[in-house]
Amino acid sequence: AAGGVLALPGQKVQAVDDGADDSGKTVRPGGILVKSSAASTNIPTPKWHAPWRLSTVLSAHLGWVRSIAFDPTNTMFATGGADRVIKIFDLAKACVGAPDALKITLTGHIGPVRGLAFSPRHPYLFSAGEDKQVKCWDLETNQVVRHYHGHLSGVFALKLHPTLDLIVTGGRDAVARVWDMRTKHQVHCLSGHDNTVGALLTKTTDPQVITGSYDTTIKLWDLAAGKCMTTLTHHKKSVRALAMPSFENTFVSGAADTLKKWQGRDGRFIKNFTGHKAVVNALAVNDDGVLLSAADNGTMNFWDYNTGYNFQKTETVAQPGSLDAENGIYAAEFDGTGTRLVTGEADKTIKIWKEDEEASELSHPVDMAGWRKKCLAEAKQRY
């Protein structure tokens, strides 16, 4: 067969020399140009990852658990809930379900706590809530030492800049505000979205701030000028989650239609991660290249970050006594080592997940046949 055209026995096929192989196209004897999909679609081999399973459940909050943050030393994590409190847990004790895992409860917000972040350079915890408040807690005295005042409505997302002493908050007033941590002044008001800013990313290189909004767009911002560099309009539904790995300059956005992976520098679209048909509330990625997408209906999908292979589909279990409607996941975060996953849920629990130690490539093999089929189907798809 000449360059991807199958010849039946006894049938002569004219060989094609004019650049047939490099373009993956072949000319049939009738002069018809045929694109042979198998030749041009290269199917990436997914890395094997162990499946994850539930290890511990913590019931501490009296409302939905809306936000999670790990401290830089990885010894503790904080959770914020719809019960307006922030709880700080000892990570090691929480993982084994010890009764004294809860270190302290911080009260002060008067609305659900939607954003949390520990500062890597100061003994501070930052929190943001639907009460329009952004607070800075001193963890040595456990008191609020600063307020960042200016949001016109609830604050839904909070991130710290990795190298500068800046806080970025996004909220229902459709802007992302950049605050100077020390002076409490607003440095920039990144406006341009038409609806709630529900997700944020910050990084050291331009675009230093990335916002995802319920108006379905993602904007990349020039932090020095306070202006929008690029707007990505690929999603058809609200962008509720963004995640960025430590090992490469890309990021993933999650919406109810698909997850999309983008180039970090210019926002070039890389690929779709299709198959999670639900409202994705949280995304998290660890150093091992495991991406988790967690949804409003309690479904959790685990993906190989590099290839987009969905290696595990699972569902969280609402704690006994809950309604079926309460198996939703609002927040998810991997710890510093990437071996533990903490989710904050609608049944008021915090769940800790870990990889199955007994699993191997023999017990849970990569479904290469299904993956190949999916890759070929997507390559043929017309947009």
Side-chain angles (χ1 to χ4, degrees), residues 1-17:
V5 177
L6 296 175
L8 299 171
Q11 192 183 12
K12 286 196 172 61
V13 171
Q14 167 191 338
V16 189
D17 336 300

Side-chain angles (χ1 to χ4, degrees), residues 72-135:
T73 60
N74 208 37
T75 53
M76 56 187 182
F77 66 94
T79 58
D83 54 355
R84 312 188 295 280
V85 299
I86 299 162
K87 291 185 182 276
I88 298 181
F89 295 89
D90 184 303
L91 177 62
K93 286 178 176 169
C95 284
V96 293
D100 56 344
L102 178 62
K103 289 170 81 127
I104 192 161
T105 302
L106 304 172
T107 58
H109 275 284
I110 53 173
V113 181
R114 292 292 292 266
L116 286 171
F118 282 94
S119 167
R121 290 183 296 283
H122 320 92
Y124 291 155
L125 168 69
F126 294 90
S127 65
E130 286 181 26
D131 49 10
K132 315 180 199 176
Q133 298 184 40
V134 181
K135 292 175 187 278

Side-chain angles (χ1 to χ4, degrees), residues 160-357:
L160 302 183
H161 192 283
T163 50
L164 306 171
D165 285 349
L166 295 174
I167 313 160
V168 186
T169 55
R172 231 175 49 154
D173 47 1
V175 293
R177 295 179 195 267
V178 182
W179 310 89
D180 184 313
M181 202 180 272
R182 191 177 57 84
T183 63
K184 304 181 279 197
H185 288 319
Q186 180 178 305
V187 185
H188 287 305
C189 174
L190 308 176
S191 58
H193 282 296
D194 301 334
N195 207 330
T196 304
V197 175
L200 287 170
L201 286 178
T202 52
K203 46 193 202 130
T204 45
T205 54
D206 276 331
Q208 293 180 52
V209 179
I210 301 169
T211 55
S213 166
Y214 291 7
D215 65 6
T216 75
T217 63
I218 297 163
K219 285 184 187 280
L220 314 182
W221 301 86
D222 177 343
L223 186 62
K227 294 203 164 59
C228 178
M229 292 162 63
T230 324
T231 304
L232 311 172
T233 57
H234 300 52
H235 277 291
K236 296 180 182 65
K237 292 274 195 279
S238 300
V239 179
R240 288 166 175 266
L242 292 168
M244 186 175 60
S246 53
F247 49 84
E248 63 179 33
N249 193 3
T250 55
F251 66 97
V252 174
S253 61
D257 50 357
T258 48
L259 310 182
K260 292 178 191 286
K261 182 175 171 184
W262 315 85
Q263 196 76 26
R265 193 162 43 93
D266 48 2
R268 201 166 49 74
F269 172 71
I270 300 175
K271 60 152 46 100
N272 274 321
F273 289 22
T274 54
H276 199 171
K277 293 188 169 49
V279 179
V280 174
N281 279 331
L283 289 171
V285 58
N286 70 5
D287 293 351
D288 202 25
V290 175
L291 172 73
L292 160 84
S293 57
D296 225 20
N297 59 358
T299 53
M300 300 167 72
N301 282 21
F302 292 89
W303 313 76
D304 176 28
Y305 186 83
N306 294 322
T307 58
Y309 169 67
N310 184 192
F311 68 87
Q312 187 189 3
K313 285 181 160 68
T314 180
E315 204 167 320
T316 182
V317 204
Q319 72 171 331
S322 303
L323 306 170
D324 289 345
E326 286 182 323
N327 58 352
I329 303 174
Y330 290 117
E333 209 67 59
F334 283 102
D335 77 330
T337 60
T339 56
R340 292 290 179 276
L341 166 69
V342 178
T343 57
E345 318 214 348
D347 62 354
K348 306 173 190 169
T349 61
I350 299 148
K351 295 194 173 77
I352 302 177
W353 307 73
K354 62 180 184 187
E355 285 183 323
D356 194 348
E357 284 119 12

